[in-house]
């Protein structure tokens, strides 16, 4: 998806969700800990929120990140979480970044990464047993 279209769709979805909740831009900006202008720019599609902000917006409106990003029309979060809610938030962001990268790769590259990850896990498990 072209960057301009992506930002416009993201902004439209954020605005729609905000209006459905009856919030003003300043209300949401305060909840997110950002300026009203920054939030307004997200809605207008003139500024791209960072990944953590996207996650926080999804949390606030109880929708999936995938919905906000225009990857699905289904608003609800999956019952099966990709990662454990108890994981460190920074690790969760890193996992989301990896998922985003994988979505851009061809299937054979994803399969190669899966095999590498499995071998790395085996190696780390063996290393921990020797320690």
């Amino acid at each position: 998806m072209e960057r301009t279209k992506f930002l416009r769709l993201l902004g439209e979805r954020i605005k729609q969700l905000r209006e459905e909740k009856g919030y003003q831009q300043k209300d949401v900006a305060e909840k997110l800990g950002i300026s009203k202008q920054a939030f307004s720019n997200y809605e207008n599609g003139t500024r791209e929120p960072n990944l953590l902000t996207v996650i926080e917006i999804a949390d606030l409106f109880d929708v999936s990140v995938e919905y906000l990003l225009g990857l699905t029309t289904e608003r609800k979060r999956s019952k099966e979480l990709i990662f454990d809610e108890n994981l460190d938030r920074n690790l969760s962001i890193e996992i989301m970044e990896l998922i985003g990268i994988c979505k851009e790769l061809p299937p054979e590259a994803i399969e190669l990464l899966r095999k590498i990850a499995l071998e790395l896990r085996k190696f780390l498990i063996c290393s921990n047993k020797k320690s």
Side-chain angles (χ1 to χ4, degrees):
M1 180 184 302
E2 183 185 309
R3 184 181 178 89
T4 306
K5 289 180 184 177
F6 161 76
L7 289 175
R8 187 176 25 172
L9 177 61
L10 175 63
E12 288 169 1
R13 289 194 170 177
I14 292 171
K15 182 177 182 177
Q16 180 182 10
L17 292 164
R18 176 183 60 78
E19 289 175 344
E20 287 174 6
K21 294 279 188 182
Y23 294 147
Q24 298 294 315
Q25 285 183 339
K26 66 177 178 65
D27 301 325
V28 178
E30 285 174 14
K31 292 177 185 294
L32 297 174
I34 60 175
S35 71
K36 179 190 172 295
Q37 185 60 50
F39 184 76
S40 177
N41 289 339
Y42 299 156
E43 281 194 1
N44 294 329
T46 57
R47 183 173 171 189
E48 183 177 347
N50 64 38
L51 182 58
L52 180 57
T53 303
V54 171
I55 292 169
E56 290 173 343
I57 292 169
D59 286 345
L60 178 65
F61 294 118
D62 195 31
V63 296
S64 69
V65 169
E66 291 83 1
Y67 173 76
L68 281 181
L69 298 179
L71 301 174
T72 182
T73 56
E74 180 66 35
R75 288 183 176 199
K76 291 292 180 194
R77 298 169 193 245
S78 172
K79 298 289 184 207
E80 295 178 24
L81 295 176
I82 293 171
F83 47 82
D84 186 327
E85 291 177 346
N86 296 320
L87 285 179
D88 179 284
R89 188 131 177 115
N90 291 330
L91 180 58
S92 300
I93 291 168
E94 290 170 358
I95 291 170
M96 292 300 293
E97 285 178 310
L98 286 171
I99 291 168
I101 291 167
C102 288
K103 287 181 178 180
E104 298 173 3
L105 296 175
E108 58 274 7
I110 293 171
E111 179 58 22
L112 178 60
L113 282 174
R114 187 184 72 77
K115 288 178 181 177
I116 291 169
L118 290 171
E119 289 300 316
L120 179 60
R121 182 177 68 180
K122 286 182 199 174
F123 172 78
L124 293 173
I125 289 170
C126 288
S127 295
N128 286 338
K129 286 181 181 177
K130 291 177 183 177
S131 299

